[in-house]
Amino acid sequence: MNRWITDTPLSKRFSLYTRANADEVGPDPFSPLGWSLVWQQGCIPGVAQGFVDFGVCDYSEYDLDPPQMFANFGGYFYNPLSLSRVMGERMPGASAAMMDAAYFGDHPGVPPYVPHPEDDNEVQAAKLADTMGWVMTTDSYPKQHAAAAMARDVVAKRPNFAAMTNDELVQYARSIPPLVREAWEPYTVVCLGCALGPGAVQAICAAVGRPEDAAKVLSAVGSVESAEASFAMWDLSRLVKNSPALSAAFDAGVDGLLDRLAGMPEASEFLAKWATLIAEHGHRGTNEWDTRQDSWTTRPTIPLGMINRLRNQSDDRSPHLAREKNSAERERLLAELSELLKDDAESLGTLQAGMHSAANWVGWREQGKNACIRLIHEVKLAMYELGQRSVDAGHIATKQQIFNLLDNELDQFLADPGSLVGLIAEREVDFQLLHTLEPPYIVGQSEVPPVSAWAPRHGEKLPQAQVGDVLQGGPGSPGVVTGRARIVLDPMQAPDMDPGDILVAPTTDPSWAPLFLSVAGIVVNVGAISSHAAIVSRELGIPCAVSVLRATDRIAEGSLITMDGSTGTVTILG
């Protein structure tokens, strides 16, 4: 196999693409239906308009139709490196080199920036300057809030899929991408803007010789929607921990647990809060930007398993207590920093504006992501219904295999399922093969290496760090902890961990968040102070180091390490 069916064309104007920071969006290959229906028709057009709204570029600069803001090669999601560099060159106070540093850190093999005559653009620079001023001062973003409300309304009006015909299921799924596009426009603006406030805070803290305080003053800002599921799970875990009847039910395993609880009077409060959890957060799941993977709604054993982990934690690990503690520490440090800057009105104003912006935009970033995922989840649920009917009819082996079709093949499948049965089965073999391959880190300019030339995934291992080595990452969430490193590549297959262990992961999305509460600290290969792992860790009060290059390879399973979430360092002790 040299090319995959959803491979995208290369832009000539913005020709470089990278997997850097793409793992949060797509750690695994995207399904053909997920990409052709949701991403090509919803996400990518929305992002293209979002970049224009922010001021990065004019729509006329795109040279592909539809604009390939993001790329897909071998099923894997790629970020637009060239366009990010253009943004750096046009944004006042930034540069392509600064964007590279944020994306890659010290990663080797990054091609040098080659200026394009049109990169320097005074009109776009002025628009970006206006946007930056707005990001640092606004108290509200109505377009984002409206998109979030729209997504919730779609979920509230969800039809009864079981009562719909197959044609109606497909039409419902096709009605969602225009709404995804509508949600992605403001979400793109939020993603581009949410780093400005934290960046300003980091700069001021560094200027006064206290860079380690940046993560501390950005902690416990509140209103972070992705963190709220963890608080809800924690509260459910306390019900289980304090109830002998519920504990006994969980001791028997999470398979069939809800059916067993349905007949227990002692479970009424748990089941009511469980229903609220699923109604609010049931769209969450691993690789949740794709339509193929199970969600907490379609596979409730996932969140039940997380609650099962949490019930063994002591009450002093409560995220509520951590939020209170970190909030008090944040206010103390802010007062201290403000006192240091009292005679420097400009720096004090920058600190205050940065904190104001961070408190708003970090929360809006998670709000925006939830809006998009809620809508994508609607496509998933409709197609799961069609997939299960196709399984029952003997056309496919699992309901997930319906996602091996492209959007433009769905009508043929409805009319004559047998005509595509063989193709679906063939694609399933190839799709699973893609999961075993390591996508190139950077591609573009002229061609993409054929899939047949890709190396095995996780095949090349870096030398493991030795006792005394210090791995330098970036600050994510404050705190210093020492514990045993537990390497986890998939939250669905996480081993039993002790409360003092330190989770070491490639990256995380919101489906990982409840797992955070079962460990003492988090180390991730990629990310920044405004990435998901850092944002949620700060809300939960869990120390976190981000962008520790290839940490999952370099840190040995079970080794004793100390990690400092304020500085991003990981020290190997033994």
Side-chain angles (χ1 to χ4, degrees):
M1 175 171 47
N2 290 327
R3 293 285 177 261
W4 181 236
I5 55 174
T6 55
D7 277 9
T8 50
L10 289 169
S11 166
K12 293 182 180 179
R13 173 67 179 90
F14 307 115
S15 61
L16 288 173
Y17 303 85
T18 179
R19 281 288 291 167
N21 291 349
D23 278 352
E24 280 199 22
V25 177
D28 295 315
F30 278 80
S31 65
L33 185 58
W35 189 263
S36 63
L37 177 59
V38 175
W39 277 83
Q40 288 189 326
Q41 300 179 48
C43 303
I44 288 174
V47 175
Q49 185 60 51
F51 267 73
V52 173
D53 292 347
F54 199 83
V56 176
C57 59
D58 183 80
Y59 213 95
S60 63
E61 295 185 78
Y62 298 132
D63 61 351
L64 295 175
D65 186 21
Q68 289 299 338
M69 296 296 304
F70 299 124
N72 186 295
F73 304 119
Y76 286 89
F77 174 88
Y78 278 79
N79 273 319
L81 171 57
S82 292
L83 190 57
S84 298
R85 285 174 164 177
V86 169
M87 177 178 172
E89 288 295 292
R90 293 176 176 179
M91 179 176 284
S95 66
M98 292 174 64
M99 299 301 290
D100 280 0
Y103 262 103
F104 304 113
D106 297 326
H107 197 284
V110 178
Y113 165 64
V114 178
H116 186 281
E118 297 177 9
D119 287 356
D120 186 13
N121 187 309
E122 293 183 1
V123 172
Q124 298 306 140
K127 290 181 179 180
L128 282 167
D130 289 342
T131 300
M132 292 169 67
W134 168 66
V135 168
M136 296 297 285
T137 57
T138 187
D139 291 313
S140 180
Y141 185 12
K143 194 170 185 179
Q144 173 62 81
H145 311 324
M150 175 270 290
R152 288 181 176 276
D153 186 60
V154 170
V155 174
K157 295 177 179 178
R158 178 187 299 155
N160 178 6
F161 294 131
M164 298 171 73
T165 66
N166 290 350
D167 283 316
E168 288 171 338
L169 289 171
V170 170
Q171 291 311 309
Y172 180 80
R174 286 174 170 165
S175 73
I176 299 298
L179 303 180
V180 174
R181 175 176 181 167
E182 180 181 336
W184 252 104
E185 288 184 25
Y187 177 54
T188 301
V189 172
V190 170
C191 287
L192 294 174
C194 75
L196 296 181
V201 173
Q202 284 182 299
I204 293 298
C205 289
V208 299
R210 297 171 60 165
E212 71 280 358
D213 285 345
K216 298 175 184 177
V217 296
L218 291 169
S219 294
V221 296
S223 301
V224 176
E225 192 172 331
S226 294
E228 296 307 314
S230 299
F231 284 88
M233 283 191 183
W234 175 266
D235 294 340
L236 282 166
S237 77
R238 298 306 89 184
L239 291 178
V240 178
K241 182 177 183 291
N242 296 321
S243 167
L246 289 175
S247 294
F250 269 81
D251 286 342
V254 296
D255 289 336
L257 175 61
L258 293 176
D259 290 336
R260 298 197 302 273
L261 294 179
M264 293 173 50
E266 301 92 336
S268 58
E269 182 180 2
F270 178 93
L271 290 173
K273 290 187 175 181
W274 167 263
T276 300
L277 171 73
I278 295 302
E280 181 67 16
H281 304 288
H283 54 286
R284 305 263 64 143
T286 57
N287 208 17
E288 60 194 1
W289 283 108
D290 190 24
T291 49
R292 176 172 168 138
Q293 293 277 18
D294 272 305
S295 66
W296 293 356
T297 295
T298 64
R299 192 175 172 186
T301 53
I302 300 173
L304 287 171
M306 293 178 177
I307 294 170
N308 190 42
R309 287 178 179 274
L310 292 179
R311 70 183 174 115
N312 297 316
Q313 292 285 351
S314 59
D315 291 342
D316 60 4
R317 292 294 306 278
S318 167
H320 300 286
L321 297 176
R323 174 180 279 179
E324 292 177 7
K325 176 183 175 182
N326 286 349
S327 179
E329 177 67 1
R330 182 192 69 234
E331 294 304 315
R332 184 191 70 79
L333 282 173
L334 275 176
E336 201 171 286
L337 291 168
S338 297
E339 179 66 21
L340 285 174
L341 298 169
K342 64 181 181 180
D343 297 325
D344 184 349
E346 182 177 351
S347 294
L348 178 58
T350 300
L351 175 66
Q352 292 171 339
M355 287 300 304
H356 177 270
S357 178
N360 286 326
W361 287 78
V362 165
W364 298 343
R365 178 182 186 267
E366 297 303 301
Q367 180 191 65
K369 179 173 184 177
N370 271 274
C372 295
I373 299 298
R374 282 190 173 95
L375 293 169
I376 292 173
H377 190 240
E378 292 300 298
V379 177
K380 176 181 301 188
L381 294 179
M383 291 297 94
Y384 265 32
E385 177 67 26
L386 178 61
Q388 186 58 54
R389 292 179 188 179
S390 301
V391 171
D392 294 341
H395 300 310
I396 56 179
T398 68
K399 61 180 180 287
Q400 283 84 2
Q401 289 188 14
I402 197 71
F403 297 97
N404 290 342
L405 293 169
L406 297 170
D407 174 47
N408 61 16
E409 296 169 337
L410 283 173
D411 294 328
Q412 179 183 342
F413 182 78
L414 293 181
D416 183 12
S419 65
L420 292 172
V421 167
L423 180 65
I424 290 174
E426 290 173 9
R427 285 183 182 168
E428 181 68 18
V429 174
D430 289 341
F431 187 64
Q432 295 305 324
L433 172 64
L434 294 176
H435 284 72
T436 69
L437 302 177
E438 187 68 41
Y441 191 62
I442 295 174
V443 300
Q445 291 183 320
S446 59
E447 62 180 18
V448 181
V451 173
S452 58
W454 292 9
R457 198 173 185 185
H458 308 301
E460 180 187 356
K461 298 291 185 180
L462 291 179
Q464 289 192 335
Q466 302 300 307
V467 174
D469 285 352
V470 177
L471 309 184
Q472 183 64 61
S477 178
V480 179
V481 292
T482 297
R484 294 290 174 185
R486 305 307 305 274
I487 313 300
V488 181
L489 303 180
D490 183 346
M492 302 275 291
Q493 300 177 6
D496 291 334
M497 293 183 285
D498 293 330
D501 289 342
I502 296 175
L503 172 67
V504 183
T507 185
T508 66
D509 57 35
S511 66
W512 288 70
L515 196 60
F516 291 7
L517 291 173
S518 64
V519 294
I522 314 292
V523 176
V524 290
N525 292 358
V526 299
I529 199 166
S530 57
S531 62
H532 166 76
I535 291 171
V536 174
S537 293
R538 290 197 297 273
E539 288 303 299
L540 299 178
I542 308 295
C544 175
V546 299
S547 198
V548 182
L549 183 63
R550 298 284 293 270
T552 50
D553 284 343
R554 299 160 71 194
I555 299 174
E557 166 69 20
S559 60
L560 185 65
I561 63 174
T562 292
M563 58 84 59
D564 185 338
S566 297
T567 63
T569 57
V570 179
T571 304
I572 311 299
L573 302 180

